[in-house]
Amino acid sequence: MSDHAGTPFSFAEVRPYEVVDSLVELRGPEHGVLRLPVELAWGGRTEFDLDDAYDRTAA
């Protein structure tokens, strides 16, 4: 995986991901309940109420 012998490989080498060029490109719900798949919700919580300040921050 890695070109460097003895160097641990990175997550990006195992599962590639994309990054937007600008935050303007990000879109999503502004209100209601956000439900994330377990692959994204690493902390265990999968639902966040976007109308609640704490949940918005946690999401």
Side-chain angles (χ1 to χ4, degrees), residues 24-54:
V24 175
E25 295 181 48
L26 297 178
R27 300 219 183 345
E30 295 180 19
H31 301 283
V33 176
L34 172 66
R35 291 177 181 85
L36 297 174
V38 293
E39 295 86 3
L40 293 177
W42 298 347
R45 271 184 80 186
T46 58
E47 294 188 3
F48 302 87
D49 181 357
L50 298 178
D51 294 313
D52 178 79
Y54 179 84

